[in-house]
Amino acid sequence: MTTDAPAGTPRTAHTADLTPAELSAIRALLDDAFDGDFSDEDFEHGLGGMHALVQDDAGRIAAHGSVIMRRVRYRDRWLRVGYVEAVAVRAEARRAGLGGRVMAELERVIDRAYDAGMLSASDEGAALYAARGWEVWRGRVCALGPKGVVHLPDEEGTTFIRPALAGALDPAYELVFDWRDGDVL
């Protein structure tokens, strides 16, 4: 990966602006960070939006995250949500603030372009998001599937939100996510 940014400085780029080599390096980082438990569908979910990348002194990708647009029904309208995907830091680069740098860039995009930010956190990632002010959604989580609205109780307690242009959201109302292949959220 070549950029003019110094090592450790986040760079943002749309998926369309990433080279095949960069996409391959991102996929390798995600496979390593998730111990091989990062499917092709998981990778696809992180494409088509803005990526934040941090490289190390050797020019390798040390941290990555992306924000893609999803539609989420809340109350009587469909929100334009910046959904965070594929956040990872290489094992030897962890605990150096790189995840926070990636998230700061993604949050900048969310705050200026989306009604809200949302993500589904792993146990390992939850502390990072909570420390940055993301809040666990206390309401019901669903998806609009081929046969109608499907309740997703496993996503409750792991779905985080960040108010943006739409302001605060009331958990008395459910979130209904758009459907996608693989893991629903």
Side-chain angles (χ1 to χ4, degrees):
M1 181 169 120
T2 59
T3 78
D4 295 330
T9 301
R11 173 188 131 205
T12 57
H14 192 277
T15 302
D17 296 322
L18 297 174
T19 67
E22 288 172 323
L23 289 168
S24 179
I26 291 166
R27 178 60 195 255
L29 166 69
L30 294 165
D31 285 339
D32 287 345
F34 288 92
D35 296 323
D37 190 26
F38 201 82
S39 71
D40 290 342
E41 286 144 341
D42 293 330
F43 186 62
E44 183 180 308
H45 293 168
L47 301 177
M50 293 299 293
H51 299 257
L53 308 109
V54 177
Q55 68 184 59
D56 64 14
D57 290 331
R60 299 173 301 170
I61 297 175
H64 170 270
S66 61
V67 61
I68 56 98
M69 191 186 92
R70 294 199 60 191
R71 289 291 190 176
V72 176
R73 189 182 74 199
Y74 168 75
R75 297 182 80 164
D76 59 352
R77 68 180 272 216
W78 286 89
L79 301 176
R80 194 180 64 254
V81 169
Y83 200 83
V84 175
E85 292 281 4
V87 176
V89 177
R90 240 187 17 250
E92 66 273 12
R94 291 183 185 147
R95 307 285 179 245
L98 299 184
R101 291 180 200 161
V102 163
M103 287 304 298
E105 287 301 307
L106 300 179
E107 291 161 357
R108 180 185 64 79
V109 171
I110 289 166
D111 292 348
R112 294 180 182 176
Y114 293 100
D115 294 322
M118 297 183 187
L119 59 85
S120 181
S122 64
D123 291 339
E124 297 81 16
L128 169 66
Y129 308 125
R132 298 193 58 78
W134 288 72
E135 297 179 7
V136 173
W137 178 252
R138 301 289 178 205
R140 184 175 163 100
V141 177
C142 302
L144 182 59
K147 296 182 180 181
V149 175
V150 178
H151 182 214
L152 303 171
D154 291 346
E155 295 297 329
E156 294 171 0
T158 63
T159 299
F160 282 68
I161 67 162
R162 176 184 180 88
L165 299 175
L169 304 179
D170 183 351
Y173 298 91
E174 68 187 7
L175 299 177
V176 180
F177 285 83
D178 55 355
W179 188 265
R180 58 188 189 176
D181 292 334
D183 296 336
V184 175
L185 292 180

